[in-house]
Amino acid sequence: MLRALHINDFVIVEHAEIPFSAGFTVFSGETGAGKSILVDALSLALGERADTAMLREGAARADISAVFDTPDTARPWLAEHALDTGEEPELMLRRVIDRQGRSKAFINGIPATLAQLRTLGEHLVDIHGQHAHQSLLHTARQRDLLDTHGLAREPAQSVTAAWQSWQDAEAALAAAQSRAEQDARERSELEDQVAILDTLGLQADEWEPLCSH
């Protein structure tokens, strides 16, 4: 879950530190009070595109950090990309944008790419907007939903293994057919060569006299 959101010089916010605890959290206020700024700031920390208009007027850069509990599903990915911090329970994503439009991203204090932020964000947050359920736009999430609800009688792993076996068999068949076609071509060429030799009617010890001419 999201533990804290730190915002510096973002849009109209000079500085804000927002802690979160377990349970249901609500931000309320009139239209224009700035509630969407919090969502925009979180989205920025999760790798969304940014521009200099997001900087507070007069500020040199905007700096946003989001702290999460580290989900077990994200640990293998973090380890694979050398972005883990051992058994630390918390995970921090940070984004910095300067006046020149340059953007820097960090995961656990380690420089990262925006693509890595976005990929990691899929393990952490699901944003429901007015027009879209964000995770449903991701092919991997669509596949997970199909595996969970459409394959209740057959585990997804079994279907994956069966599909892979089918692909392996298809590849083996294609390779065998290719070898058979190659063997047939070579056999045909050899038969043609033997037919030519038979037509010539060459006799034993005839090669040297022919070469002498």
Side-chain angles (χ1 to χ4, degrees), residues 49-65:
R49 295 182 62 182
D51 59 62
T52 55
M54 293 179 170
L55 274 69
R56 189 174 66 87
E57 184 176 356
R61 64 177 180 270
D63 192 332
I64 298 166
S65 298

Side-chain angles (χ1 to χ4, degrees), residues 1-3 18-28 38:
M1 63 170 283
L2 178 63
R3 285 297 184 185
I18 307 169
F20 296 88
S21 56
F24 186 63
T25 301
V26 175
F27 290 96
S28 63
L38 302 180

Side-chain angles (χ1 to χ4, degrees), residues 1-6 18-21 42 45-46 64-71 89-94 108 124-125:
M1 63 170 283
L2 178 63
R3 285 297 184 185
L5 185 62
H6 305 277
I18 307 169
F20 296 88
S21 56
L42 179 58
L46 295 170
I64 298 166
S65 298
V67 181
F68 298 86
D69 288 332
T70 304
E90 292 187 343
L91 170 67
M92 186 175 75
L93 279 62
R94 182 186 176 202
N108 289 332
L124 304 172
V125 174

